[in-house]
Amino acid sequence: MEEESDTRKINNSFLRDHNYATEADIISTVEFNSSGELLATGDKGGRVVVFQREQESKSQPQRRGEYNVYSTFQSHEPEFDYLKSLEIEEKINKIKWLPQQNAAYFLLSTNDKTVKLWKISERDKRPEGYNLKDDDGRIRDPSTITSLRVPVLQPMDLMVEATARRVFSNAHTYHINSISVNSDLQTYISTDDLRVNLWNLEITDRSFNIVDIKPANMEELTEVITSAEFHPQQCHTFAYSSSKGSIRLCDMREAALCDRHCKYFEEPEDPSTRSFFSEIISSISDVKFSHNGRYLMTRDYLTVKVWDLQMENKPLETYQVHDYLRGKLCSLYENDCIFDKFECVWNGSDSVIMTGSYNNFFRMFDRNTKRDVTLEASRENSKPRAILKPRKVCVGGKRRKDEISVDSLDFSKKILHTTWHPHENIIAVAATNNLYIFQDKVN
Amino acid sequence: MISTMECGADAQNLISISLMKIHNSRTQRGGIKLHKNLLVSYVLRNARQVYIKEKYAEIYRMQQYEEVMTVCNEIQELDPLDLDAEDDEEHARTACCGEGASPCGSVCHRGAAQPAAHARTASAVFGCASLEEDTREPDPSYYRSCCMEASPAPHCDQLPASGSAHCNKTTVLDLDTHVVTTVENGYLHQDCCCDAPPLGQGAQTPAKKRKVEPGCYVSDVEEISDFTAARKRAKREDCSYHSLDYTDTSNISNLISIFGSGFSGLLSRQADLEQICSKQVLASLGAWTRAIVAF
């Protein structure tokens, strides 16, 4: 791996002074916007924190733009569905940015049932000099007004406001697992376990169901949808992954209901590796199109696979993320870790892919050189601005110094959510309730 | 073929863990997660397949032995004064055990040291057999399992038909008197859904089942020694089970009553009870799988 990184940690927790991690602070999603200027995180408590990159200053060129908190707001609250006696979690499952079209920023955030469109805008001026009221808001007695004045805009401290502009609700019976904005910038899809719905960003009381895999008899259910994404350039194409390890590519021009796929990507199972948990580990947890739109990347429990859209019968590349866990599936099943849903991400040029693992490790695979590296996001093991040291897991035999054995891995420290800056080598990694941002080293 | 050696996982253990997960998911915040429960049901299904396969292999071995015993006893009856009978018995036993059992073989009674018990042989078809065990002893024990084909779905579809063709005759061996009697009787054929796609077909097989008469039981003698007092209670539940129509509703309600009595209570007791419950659950796993996803 040719990249070396600075490290910088930003603690996004409101309870900054506290050492314990409350569950509400656990980061559940991270996403750069399309310019990379903003970074949004969502947490289990329903809050969204947006970071903004500082402008690079000429006086300190070695101190490249760092990310600081820009805006914080409560996106979703816990709700109760009285009809079904179900509590709806406020945890933010996904955030997706809309490309910027004016001075304000827009993002979509979703919990299990409701998608919201948020507008984040700055206010740095305010009008002063009203005639009928004082600057502090009190109404002036009209009889005391002797002259008229024109209010003027005066600069004020920058205030960043977040307002909910649209609320898209009551369209999903099952839990929403993903949202994806279309390249047409007018529509987006929201996906739950069994259905994909198409929305217009302007219309909240109506959505179109475009995929429905719910069987007539629920007893015959064999697979669920785990993620869906629009093609980055073709506004009529989207892909969705299933719990059976397959991906379907659909074209919305074919029919209103896209139950029939155009392409079906699946790798036949290797019968020699069959185990009790074969179905679980083949379930796809994330699917991402490459930026150039030619490839698809999928993440299942042990591997990351890159698929060529032109080849359906097997992936182009398969990368083992943590194959040493294959012998531990039973204990991972017992402690529920086997159900962890790891995400995967492309870099801007589609040459490197990255995904998380346990013990706060995350892995990068260079598709060209076929080299890979394991890095750790941890305060103890790296100082700010220090170069990250590659880590290695010892799978058996003699453990070298600095290697960590499989049994010493901390499975409570998992990196499920990562994101890569769209143009530069800056990555954001969420480790439980901490956010780590790593940048390329400046020459 | 599922490799059980990989993680040393015990199929029964996995079944218990999976059921606990499903039970806990009902009270988790945010509602029941369909995806997770579907995956857990796959583990349950796989564990059941392995468990039943192991059981079937065991039955198969015992069938061969029983057949040998039957033959040997018949030989003995013909020539009770034959001093070499014992040697022949041994010889016949070993010879027969090496052969395959006939389609309507009999359950082997293994170990002469076991207390006298009624042994009922259920007709065994390739992939289709069921055992119920009960002794009319002070400690009656019940054990019911569903023996199914562990191979892919295509075979599964054929089983109900072939099963009913072969399994219409059963043989009872009284281990006390060594009298063999043949009874025309039915058998209990469990859900035959062994692969995911035809999960729904499991619902059709109940129609083909025939009721088992209360008088016929098979003793898995090995297990009598394992499960004694604990089985008494299992007997009561099983009796009512038999007399009901074999519908999904009864399966689910039976399971719910098991859980209703306190899953944690079950777990806190000895491993025996756990195994019993697992077995009972196994017997109706198809329905339970359906119950999980049908919310």
Side-chain angles (χ1 to χ4, degrees):
Chain A
M1 194 79 221
E2 69 279 358
E3 179 182 276
E4 291 163 339
S5 310
D6 279 355
T7 69
R8 177 163 166 82
K9 165 197 65 75
I10 295 173
N11 188 336
N12 75 329
S13 166
F14 284 115
L15 308 170
R16 206 175 281 252
D17 299 326
H18 295 238
N19 288 327
Y20 59 84
T22 55
E23 196 171 312
D25 296 335
I26 295 173
I27 302 171
S28 49
T29 186
V30 278
E31 189 81 7
F32 275 108
N33 75 338
S34 44
S35 65
E37 183 203 351
L38 297 179
L39 173 67
T41 63
D43 65 22
K44 267 195 158 189
R47 290 166 302 204
V48 172
V49 180
V50 180
F51 299 86
Q52 188 188 42
R53 196 177 188 191
E54 272 180 21
Q55 298 301 320
E56 293 178 26
S57 65
K58 303 247 187 301
S59 58
Q60 287 180 308
Q62 74 276 9
R63 199 186 169 95
R64 296 203 30 193
E66 295 173 353
Y67 285 84
N68 297 316
V69 177
Y70 179 63
S71 170
T72 305
F73 56 93
Q74 185 76 32
S75 170
H76 287 74
E77 299 275 3
E79 285 173 50
F80 195 79
D81 181 336
Y82 298 99
L83 207 57
K84 295 178 190 163
S85 293
L86 278 181
E87 195 181 355
I88 300 167
E89 276 190 284
E90 68 275 27
K91 172 170 79 97
I92 308 294
N93 292 333
K94 280 284 165 9
I95 290 174
K96 284 282 148 71
W97 289 95
L98 268 58
Q100 199 175 3
Q101 288 174 309
N102 53 34
Y105 304 103
F106 288 88
L107 62 79
L108 285 171
S109 71
T110 184
N111 68 350
D112 283 340
K113 298 285 183 182
T114 305
V115 185
K116 293 187 185 180
L117 176 69
W118 288 89
K119 174 183 175 184
I120 301 164
S121 50
E122 292 179 7
R123 190 196 293 259
D124 59 357
K125 298 184 190 47
R126 65 161 180 219
E128 281 177 16
Y130 283 102
N131 292 292
L132 293 176
K133 60 179 179 184
D134 287 337
D135 284 338
D136 49 4
R138 275 184 305 187
I139 309 290
R140 287 170 75 188
D141 183 4
S143 56
T144 62
I145 298 170
T146 52
S147 62
L148 288 176
R149 56 186 178 168
V150 176
V152 256
L153 289 172
Q154 299 289 351
M156 59 178 259
D157 289 339
L158 179 66
M159 191 167 74
V160 181
E161 302 175 308
T163 46
R165 302 296 293 184
R166 306 270 188 278
V167 177
F168 306 90
S169 55
N170 298 321
H172 286 280
T173 311
Y174 301 93
H175 296 131
I176 296 176
N177 51 52
S178 52
I179 47 176
S180 177
V181 182
N182 201 347
S183 50
D184 66 5
L185 305 184
Q186 292 183 2
T187 55
Y188 76 94
I189 48 174
S190 59
T191 309
D192 67 25
D193 290 322
L194 298 177
R195 300 188 174 101
V196 181
N197 290 337
L198 179 72
W199 301 83
N200 183 304
L201 284 163
E202 300 295 327
I203 301 169
T204 59
D205 60 356
R206 216 177 323 152
S207 75
F208 291 97
N209 175 248
I210 54 175
V211 174
D212 188 343
I213 65 166
K214 185 177 179 184
N217 187 356
M218 269 300 270
E219 296 169 357
E220 291 160 21
L221 181 75
T222 58
E223 66 180 327
V224 296
I225 302 174
T226 52
S227 186
E229 199 187 37
F230 265 118
H231 190 279
Q233 285 94 36
Q234 296 169 14
C235 59
H236 47 79
T237 306
F238 67 95
Y240 67 91
S241 59
S242 87
S243 57
K244 275 197 163 172
S246 63
I247 309 102
R248 290 170 175 83
L249 197 72
C250 299
D251 189 330
M252 295 199 292
R253 297 170 299 186
E254 269 189 357
L257 199 57
C258 301
D259 280 353
R260 272 183 51 221
H261 51 263
C262 299
K263 284 185 191 277
Y264 180 76
F265 300 85
E266 192 180 42
E267 183 176 28
E269 188 195 350
D270 179 7
S272 66
T273 59
R274 182 133 180 81
S275 75
F276 289 113
F277 312 105
S278 294
E279 285 85 2
I280 302 187
I281 62 170
S282 63
S283 174
I284 293 176
S285 52
D286 195 18
V287 65
K288 292 264 167 52
F289 278 99
S290 61
H291 292 95
N292 58 20
R294 288 174 50 199
Y295 306 103
L296 261 180
M297 170 165 54
T298 57
R299 175 73 154 97
D300 52 55
Y301 190 64
L302 298 177
T303 69
V304 186
K305 294 178 181 165
V306 175
W307 303 76
D308 186 325
L309 288 187
Q310 311 303 324
M311 185 164 69
E312 297 170 57
N313 61 339
K314 62 179 167 111
L316 198 61
E317 299 149 22
T318 302
Y319 301 93
Q320 302 293 334
V321 181
H322 39 215
D323 201 56
Y324 46 78
L325 295 183
R326 201 178 280 272
K328 290 189 148 295
L329 292 179
C330 196
S331 7
L332 292 167
Y333 177 71
E334 283 181 48
N335 63 14
D336 270 2
C337 282
I338 206 174
F339 301 105
D340 287 334
K341 296 192 177 142
F342 292 95
E343 292 172 9
C344 53
V345 68
W346 298 88
N347 74 338
S349 58
D350 299 331
S351 59
V352 181
I353 56 179
M354 176 170 72
T355 188
S357 178
Y358 292 104
N359 210 71
N360 279 351
F361 287 170
F362 57 100
R363 305 259 281 140
M364 286 186 194
F365 302 92
D366 188 318
R367 297 178 60 218
N368 300 325
T369 66
K370 301 297 179 205
R371 281 158 59 189
D372 62 86
V373 70
T374 305
L375 301 168
E376 184 178 1
S378 125
R379 263 182 268 194
E380 292 83 27
N381 291 331
S382 55
K383 305 270 183 294
R385 302 196 182 292
I387 293 169
L388 280 179
K389 198 174 60 175
R391 304 300 309 240
K392 189 138 166 58
V393 176
C394 163
V395 293
K398 204 159 172 323
R399 186 179 78 88
R400 293 202 205 106
K401 190 180 146 207
D402 287 348
E403 279 186 3
I404 181 163
S405 74
V406 179
D407 297 314
S408 317
L409 293 173
D410 187 345
F411 290 97
S412 66
K413 293 184 185 166
K414 51 193 89 169
I415 293 182
L416 304 173
H417 313 286
T418 58
T419 184
W420 203 307
H421 191 288
H423 314 300
E424 298 181 36
N425 282 337
I426 306 173
I427 57 173
V429 166
T432 320
N433 63 328
N434 289 316
L435 182 71
Y436 292 82
I437 299 178
F438 301 107
Q439 298 186 21
D440 236 0
K441 182 165 169 287
V442 181
N443 292 331
Chain B
M1 206 64 101
I2 292 172
S3 156
T4 57
M5 305 315 284
E6 200 176 67
C7 54
D10 176 32
Q12 273 194 345
N13 199 24
L14 270 183
I15 288 167
S16 306
I17 294 168
S18 305
L19 289 173
M20 176 130 79
K21 286 188 193 297
I22 293 170
H23 179 72
N24 289 339
S25 74
R26 294 166 65 189
T27 50
Q28 267 167 9
R29 205 172 161 240
I32 299 173
K33 309 257 187 289
L34 183 62
H35 185 200
K36 182 176 175 186
N37 280 286
L38 184 68
L39 296 177
V40 170
S41 73
Y42 274 115
V43 174
L44 263 176
R45 183 194 65 135
N46 293 338
R48 174 172 81 145
Q49 282 181 352
V50 168
Y51 179 82
I52 282 159
K53 210 161 71 75
E54 285 169 0
K55 276 295 156 197
Y56 175 69
E58 196 184 315
I59 293 159
Y60 191 72
R61 285 195 300 276
M62 291 168 73
Q63 279 168 8
Q64 290 180 301
Y65 196 82
E66 184 58 43
E67 198 180 64
V68 168
M69 283 302 294
T70 313
V71 168
C72 294
N73 289 327
E74 281 167 3
I75 292 170
Q76 239 184 345
E77 280 165 17
L78 291 172
D79 190 5
L81 299 176
D82 187 356
L83 295 169
D84 295 325
E86 270 195 40
D87 295 336
D88 286 345
E89 251 183 57
E90 289 293 325
H91 188 69
R93 249 179 249 160
T94 44
C96 279
C97 280
E99 297 167 8
S102 64
C104 284
S106 44
V107 170
C108 230
H109 167 45
R110 207 189 305 172
Q114 298 302 328
H118 292 284
R120 169 179 171 95
T121 61
S123 41
V125 171
F126 179 59
C128 177
S130 81
L131 309 173
E132 281 135 39
E133 64 175 359
D134 172 52
T135 66
R136 293 196 188 111
E137 307 235 305
D139 298 322
S141 51
Y142 270 79
Y143 160 71
R144 176 164 19 116
S145 79
C146 167
C147 190
M148 21 174 287
E149 178 60 68
S151 58
H155 291 138
C156 199
D157 298 335
Q158 301 159 18
L159 276 168
S162 59
S164 36
H166 284 96
C167 301
N168 51 9
K169 196 165 73 164
T170 50
T171 313
V172 180
L173 169 68
D174 187 332
L175 295 174
D176 279 335
T177 61
H178 295 288
V179 171
V180 178
T181 48
T182 303
V183 180
E184 297 283 343
N185 226 320
Y187 66 96
L188 194 60
H189 175 205
Q190 301 288 339
D191 281 346
C192 216
C193 31
C194 48
D195 203 35
L199 253 180
Q201 294 178 17
Q204 299 160 16
T205 53
K208 296 184 181 152
K209 290 170 193 162
R210 289 183 277 175
K211 268 199 209 165
V212 178
E213 288 180 17
C216 314
Y217 305 104
V218 157
S219 79
D220 182 349
V221 185
E222 297 256 309
E223 288 173 297
I224 287 173
S225 55
D226 290 336
F227 309 106
T228 50
R231 297 233 170 199
K232 264 191 197 151
R233 179 210 308 235
K235 177 187 181 175
R236 294 278 78 82
E237 292 172 7
D238 257 325
C239 266
S240 59
Y241 207 99
H242 283 324
S243 54
L244 290 170
D245 274 337
Y246 201 69
T247 61
D248 294 348
T249 325
S250 64
N251 294 347
I252 296 166
S253 60
N254 198 26
L255 286 165
I256 289 169
S257 68
I258 294 170
F259 284 121
S261 66
F263 198 94
S264 51
L266 285 173
L267 292 178
S268 64
R269 287 181 203 145
Q270 289 167 14
D272 288 354
L273 274 181
E274 237 183 281
Q275 289 180 13
I276 291 166
C277 285
S278 297
K279 281 169 184 156
Q280 288 175 335
V281 171
L282 277 172
S284 47
L285 194 55
W288 185 231
T289 311
R290 293 193 289 277
I292 296 160
V293 295
F295 58 81

